[in-house]
């Protein structure tokens, strides 16, 4: 497994801009880019300079910010686009062309032989300009493997830095991705990037499988925003790696995930989903009595992510009918109240009965605990 050596290509400012609600002003792009850079991603991918005049200017501006992350832009695989990309002064260019029969037939209309020619022409040009160069096939999962291997071999022979595979429609399973990357790893000496959409919920697992099979670069976006329902989420990918071994992500400034998720959610006008990795509002909330008891004794019983490492805190939810007396005791201790075990057990049964009749709040529970503590000795 090559999990230790990987880089993140953060595409919130490219794939993320393709999310239905996304519109980022130049100032907002700079804010996102700067925060991602402080977080520690190795690359930032920006929208094609051909998309609009402002997109061109934004590439120039962000390339000149002097960030640690390498600035990439993303274009179609033709010479005109590649030249414009180089003109912006970015450090690298990601080119992509569709190789599936769907895209060959219904999008650009080229044959594999024509793709081979244009790929070599564009890659040779980009390399001659001294920029880091990546060549990727769109819809790789629905392309003929032998076709894409042939094209990758040709660009690899020219010295391309990276080839990319893109699960453009989110159809791949972890096993398919693993097998495809493993095959490419055998065939090629250059780096391998994976870009995966999340239409069937596999984007994070697929990115992880790609790494296990020898991929070196993974595309992400904050909250996973992108075309349709998006791609591998930055926070989710980090959670996946951390769960394997926290050392894998110690190069990143983990507490900034919360800032990144909040910033991007605000800018694209969505709430952070309740079940989001790390930053969902319920991500570190424990509810059932059995869970609460064990977590109070040792959080590792039910937590593979330590909230402290992400600048977050756990919450034990006590105001409901699944609660247990250890959780109630924990709450009484937080409030500095002196109640013995018998009282706590009695109060727990009271809470359960009250909760059977409707929603309880923490204030309701606190009031009960305060009353009981104040009446001691009455
Ligand atoms: C796109 C398609 C793309 C490209 C991915 C890549 C995809 O919207 O341009 O360059 O690796 O999912 O295929 O995002
Ligand atoms: Cu994509």
């Amino acid at each position: 497994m090559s999990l230790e050596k990987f880089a993140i290509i953060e595409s919130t400012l490219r794939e993320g801009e393709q999310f239905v609600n996304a519109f980022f002003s130049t100032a907002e792009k700079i804010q996102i880019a700067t925060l991602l850079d402080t977080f520690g991603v190795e690359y930032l991918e920006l929208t094609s300079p051909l998309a609009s005049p402002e997109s061109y200017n934004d590439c120039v501006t962000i390339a000149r910010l002097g960030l640690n992350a390498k600035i990439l832009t993303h274009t179609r695989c033709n010479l005109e686009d590649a030249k414009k990309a180089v003109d912006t002064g970015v450090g690298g260019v990601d080119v992509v062309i569709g190789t599936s029969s769907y895209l060959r037939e219904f999008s650009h209309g080229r044959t594999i032989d024509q793709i081979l020619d244009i790929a070599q022409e564009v890659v040779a040009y980009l390399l001659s300009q001294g920029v880091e160069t990546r060549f990727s096939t769109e819809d790789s999962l629905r392309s003929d493997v032998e076709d894409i291997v042939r094209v990758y071999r040709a660009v690899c022979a020219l010295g391309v830095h990276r080839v990319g595979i893109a699960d453009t429609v989110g159809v791949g399973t972890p096993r398919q991705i693993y097998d495809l990357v493993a095959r490419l790893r055998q065939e090629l000496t250059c780096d391998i990037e994976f870009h995966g959409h999340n239409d069937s919920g596999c984007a994070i697992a697929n990115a992880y499988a790609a790494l296990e099979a020898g991929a070196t670069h993974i595309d992400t976006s904050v909250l996973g925003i992108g075309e349709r329902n998006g791609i591998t989420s930055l926070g989710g990918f980090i959670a996946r790696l951390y769960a394997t071994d926290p050392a894998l992500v110690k190069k990143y400034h983990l507490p900034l995930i919360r800032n990144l998720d909040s910033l991007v959610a605000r800018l694209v006008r969505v709430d952070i989903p309740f079940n989001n990795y790390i930053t969902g509002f319920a991500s570190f909330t424990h509810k059932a009595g059995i869970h609460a008891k064990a977590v109070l004794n040792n959080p590792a019983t039910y937590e593979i992510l330590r909230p402290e490492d992400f600048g977050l805190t756990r919450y034990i939810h006590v105001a409901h009918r699944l609660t247990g007396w250890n959780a109630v005791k924990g709450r009484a201790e937080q409030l500095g109240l002196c109640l013995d075990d018998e009282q706590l057990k009695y109060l727990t049964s009271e809470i359960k009965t009250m909760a059977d009749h409707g929603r309880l709040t923490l204030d309701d529970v606190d009031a009960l605990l305060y009353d009981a503590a104040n009446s001691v000795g009455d």
Side-chain angles (χ1 to χ4, degrees):
M1 291 218 298
S2 64
L3 288 179
E4 288 76 17
K5 203 185 143 287
F6 71 90
I8 291 178
I9 298 186
E10 227 300 326
S11 191
T12 302
L13 296 176
R14 195 284 292 174
E15 176 76 49
E17 225 194 342
Q18 295 175 220
F19 174 56
V20 62
N21 270 12
F23 164 77
F24 301 128
S25 66
T26 304
E28 289 167 351
K29 286 187 186 179
I30 292 173
Q31 209 182 350
I32 294 171
T34 308
L35 196 52
L36 283 166
D37 188 56
T38 312
F39 173 74
V41 296
E42 290 82 357
Y43 295 85
L44 295 172
E45 188 182 62
L46 309 180
T47 293
S48 168
L50 286 104
S52 72
E54 201 49 54
S55 303
Y56 181 96
N57 294 337
D58 291 342
C59 284
V60 175
T61 305
I62 294 173
R64 285 187 188 154
L65 288 177
L67 301 178
N68 290 318
K70 190 158 204 168
I71 309 302
L72 311 172
T73 190
H74 183 263
T75 71
R76 291 167 299 192
C77 188
N78 66 57
L79 222 41
E80 189 200 330
D81 286 25
K83 284 184 175 155
K84 195 113 186 204
V86 170
D87 285 350
T88 65
V90 294
V93 181
D94 288 346
V95 296
V96 64
I97 190 162
T99 44
S100 66
S101 62
Y102 289 99
L103 297 178
R104 282 190 281 126
E105 207 173 316
F106 300 107
S107 179
H108 55 66
R110 288 201 175 84
T111 65
I112 291 293
D113 283 335
Q114 288 169 324
I115 290 173
L116 201 63
D117 288 346
I118 185 92
Q120 292 180 96
E121 186 184 17
V122 172
V123 166
Y125 165 74
L126 288 170
L127 292 173
S128 78
Q129 298 302 302
V131 292
E132 188 169 319
T133 303
R134 184 221 64 179
F135 171 83
S136 165
T137 60
E138 194 181 353
D139 208 3
S140 319
L141 269 287
R142 296 189 301 173
S143 303
D144 183 323
V145 181
E146 303 311 321
D147 281 347
I148 59 177
V149 166
R150 214 173 123 221
V151 186
Y152 290 152
R153 274 214 203 101
V155 290
C156 211
L158 293 174
V160 80
H161 295 89
R162 255 185 344 274
V163 296
I165 58 173
D167 183 10
T168 306
V169 294
V171 69
T173 64
R175 190 177 290 198
Q176 284 172 323
I177 303 296
Y178 186 94
D179 289 348
L180 179 56
V181 175
R183 166 86 196 274
L184 297 180
R185 191 63 294 160
Q186 274 181 351
E187 301 272 356
L188 310 167
T189 50
C190 64
D191 284 344
I192 300 174
E193 174 178 338
F194 174 73
H195 174 98
H197 279 261
N198 200 35
D199 301 69
S200 61
C202 291
I204 296 168
N206 285 348
Y208 189 79
L211 277 190
E212 288 180 308
T216 49
H217 294 67
I218 299 294
D219 291 12
T220 67
S221 69
V222 177
L223 294 173
I225 60 169
E227 285 282 345
R228 306 183 306 283
N229 82 332
I231 63 164
T232 305
S233 123
L234 175 65
F237 180 57
I238 295 290
R240 176 56 267 163
L241 290 167
Y242 177 105
T244 298
D245 182 355
L248 294 173
V249 289
K250 69 174 190 300
K251 58 181 172 171
Y252 303 115
H253 191 48
L254 302 182
L256 287 184
I257 292 175
R258 178 168 57 164
N259 307 48
L260 282 163
D261 283 358
S262 307
L263 172 67
V264 171
R266 179 166 60 76
L267 295 179
V268 302
R269 300 171 187 202
V270 299
D271 291 327
I272 295 175
F274 77 90
N275 58 350
N276 198 42
Y277 326 96
I278 303 166
T279 57
F281 88 90
S283 290
F284 295 109
T285 296
H286 303 276
K287 182 170 175 185
I290 293 170
H291 287 236
K293 177 183 177 191
V295 166
L296 285 165
N297 284 330
N298 178 355
T301 48
Y302 287 103
E303 279 174 2
I304 50 161
L305 312 174
R306 278 164 41 93
E308 308 86 286
D309 289 347
F310 299 89
L312 298 165
T313 46
R314 75 181 53 83
Y315 177 65
I316 310 279
H317 184 28
V318 292
H320 56 88
R321 63 181 165 195
L322 309 182
T323 200
W325 77 275
N326 286 282
V328 176
K329 181 177 174 187
R331 181 62 189 162
E333 282 167 5
Q334 276 178 348
L335 298 174
L337 302 178
C338 233
L339 291 162
D340 65 31
D341 289 358
E342 283 317 304
Q343 287 174 302
L344 288 163
K345 285 178 185 168
Y346 171 74
L347 290 165
T348 303
S349 66
E350 287 286 284
I351 292 168
K352 284 171 175 283
T353 308
M354 280 158 66
D356 264 345
H357 296 105
R359 258 171 212 284
L360 275 192
T361 65
L362 188 57
D363 283 347
D364 297 329
V365 169
D366 289 354
L368 198 73
L369 297 179
Y370 276 120
D371 275 356
N374 290 337
S375 65
V376 169
D378 280 1

